[in-house]
Amino acid sequence: MSLNLDESLHRLIHCYKSEIKNAITESNLSLHVGHIRALKCIQRIPNCSAQIISKKMNLDKSQIARIIKELQTKGHIEKHPNPDNHRSQLLVLTEQGKQAIDTITTLDGETSLKMTNGLTEQQIHDFKHYVEIMTKNLCA
Amino acid sequence: MSLNLDESLHRLIHCYKSEIKNAITESNLSLHVGHIRALKCIQRIPNCSAQIISKKMNLDKSQIARIIKELQTKGHIEKHPNPDNHRSQLLVLTEQGKQAIDTITTLDGETSLKMTNGLTEQQIHDFKHYVEIMTKNLCA
DNA sequence: TTTCTCAGTTGATAATGTCAATTGAGGTTT
DNA sequence: AAACCTCAATTGACATTATCAACTGAGAAA
């Protein structure tokens, strides 16, 4: 039986958040976990928009709107008009944003490495696969 | 590489929380995810105290104190003196609390079942094992 | 022109997480 | 006994994250 599976997950996420948060603050990047997640999304997805982030992160669009506004204020991203959709805005990283992402990627890599210590590539791969299956099962 | 592993986890937890939350509200139990986690802790651990929950859930003791107060106000638990430690309080489920836990266990089981659909017992077991390794790696 | 559409925005509020200071009953020291 | 110490629990203040509903407004459709 999958006893306490959920509780284990809660704890893992909690630890991961703390870890990332500490790493970020130590690098003098005044960003939250939410900002980080959004930035990574923007970096990863070409022609990214608020709506896309919202779907990718399973978060309410209002929260995304606020995160984006903050990232824009901080000078990490810019909003460009989308030629294909007048209502949508393309989110683009500024130079500063790219630098931030670089720092984040490094920190994130260290954290991931620390987190997955003792697991083989295959096990990590499987793990990720299981996570995806479970997510699909819930948010179909 | 463990790319986006963290993002997948965030999404999974988010979906899981929504699922449980919906299930709980539909059962007219006005409890939050935090309440649920604490109740399950109290049920699972004999002679449970606030401090123990705090450690098990990796949450700040202040948050636990508030959750416990709410559970007590709602009549789900009682605080009994701990004969072994005058400062600590044993948390005990009331009859009402036991009923709530029963309901929760059912809902939780359904959610877990839905979530792990398509995975074998072995895979679920492995998954949980990986989660534990990663948690230990981070919160050593 | 008027109406409609819909990505994004804003407001209000709830839930969760964090840090620091305080409480207070019982043990320890002098 | 009085002053001091310990430490689980509590409280206060605040930051972060999440949710829901109402609103905007520029262009498409009628």
Side-chain angles (χ1 to χ4, degrees):
Chain A
M1 278 308 298
S2 59
L3 219 62
N4 326 15
L5 199 157
D6 53 311
E7 192 55 32
S8 309
L9 277 177
H10 271 294
R11 299 209 310 147
L12 177 57
I13 278 282
H14 191 272
C15 292
Y16 172 78
K17 272 192 186 176
S18 306
E19 191 82 13
I20 280 290
K21 203 174 155 188
N22 286 340
I24 295 293
T25 21
E26 278 171 15
S27 302
N28 295 322
L29 282 173
S30 72
L31 297 173
H32 308 152
V33 176
H35 294 141
I36 308 296
R37 294 176 65 195
L39 275 179
K40 289 205 265 183
C41 233
I42 294 169
Q43 180 198 37
R44 202 167 57 239
I45 301 168
N47 298 329
C48 192
S49 71
Q51 199 178 44
I52 292 177
I53 298 183
S54 174
K55 273 179 191 154
K56 284 281 172 192
M57 290 170 61
N58 270 106
L59 288 185
D60 195 84
K61 56 185 178 166
S62 63
Q63 207 181 334
I64 301 298
R66 279 181 263 261
I67 288 177
I68 286 175
K69 203 203 293 180
E70 284 161 15
L71 287 176
Q72 190 184 21
T73 304
K74 288 173 191 290
H76 293 305
I77 63 174
E78 285 172 356
K79 292 177 182 174
H80 292 186
N82 184 344
D84 299 334
N85 182 343
H86 67 90
R87 273 186 283 263
S88 156
Q89 298 162 331
L90 296 185
L91 304 174
V92 183
L93 291 171
T94 61
E95 269 314 307
Q96 187 191 328
K98 283 178 188 166
Q99 283 179 27
I101 270 281
D102 277 351
T103 309
I104 290 168
T105 305
T106 306
L107 298 174
D108 215 51
E110 289 168 2
T111 304
S112 286
L113 214 61
K114 181 177 174 186
M115 181 164 79
T116 55
N117 184 34
L119 295 178
T120 66
E121 287 297 317
Q122 182 60 49
Q123 288 173 324
I124 295 169
H125 179 265
D126 288 347
F127 177 80
K128 200 180 148 194
H129 184 223
Y130 300 158
V131 170
E132 274 161 16
I133 289 179
M134 288 191 260
T135 306
K136 268 185 199 155
N137 282 339
L138 291 180
C139 305
Chain B
M1 278 306 299
S2 59
L3 221 60
N4 326 13
L5 198 159
D6 52 310
E7 192 54 33
S8 309
L9 278 176
H10 272 293
R11 297 209 312 149
L12 178 56
I13 279 282
H14 192 271
C15 292
Y16 172 78
K17 271 192 187 175
S18 306
E19 190 82 14
I20 281 290
K21 204 174 155 190
N22 286 340
I24 295 294
T25 19
E26 278 172 15
S27 302
N28 295 322
L29 282 174
S30 70
L31 298 172
H32 308 151
V33 175
H35 294 141
I36 308 295
R37 294 176 64 194
L39 275 178
K40 288 204 265 184
C41 231
I42 295 169
Q43 179 197 38
R44 203 167 56 237
I45 301 168
N47 299 328
C48 192
S49 72
Q51 201 177 42
I52 293 177
I53 297 183
S54 174
K55 274 178 192 155
K56 284 280 171 191
M57 287 170 63
N58 271 103
L59 289 186
D60 194 84
K61 56 189 177 166
S62 63
Q63 209 180 335
I64 302 298
R66 280 180 260 260
I67 287 177
I68 286 173
K69 203 204 291 181
E70 284 163 14
L71 287 176
Q72 191 185 21
T73 303
K74 288 173 189 292
H76 292 307
I77 62 174
E78 286 172 356
K79 292 176 182 173
H80 292 184
N82 184 346
D84 299 333
N85 182 342
H86 67 89
R87 273 186 283 263
S88 156
Q89 298 163 332
L90 297 184
L91 303 174
V92 183
L93 290 171
T94 60
E95 267 315 306
Q96 188 193 326
K98 284 178 189 167
Q99 283 178 26
I101 271 282
D102 277 350
T103 308
I104 290 167
T105 305
T106 306
L107 298 175
D108 217 49
E110 288 168 4
T111 305
S112 287
L113 213 61
K114 181 178 175 186
M115 181 165 77
T116 55
N117 184 34
L119 294 177
T120 66
E121 287 297 318
Q122 182 60 47
Q123 287 173 323
I124 295 170
H125 178 267
D126 288 347
F127 177 81
K128 200 180 147 192
H129 183 224
Y130 301 157
V131 171
E132 275 161 16
I133 289 178
M134 289 191 257
T135 307
K136 269 184 198 155
N137 282 340
L138 291 180
C139 306

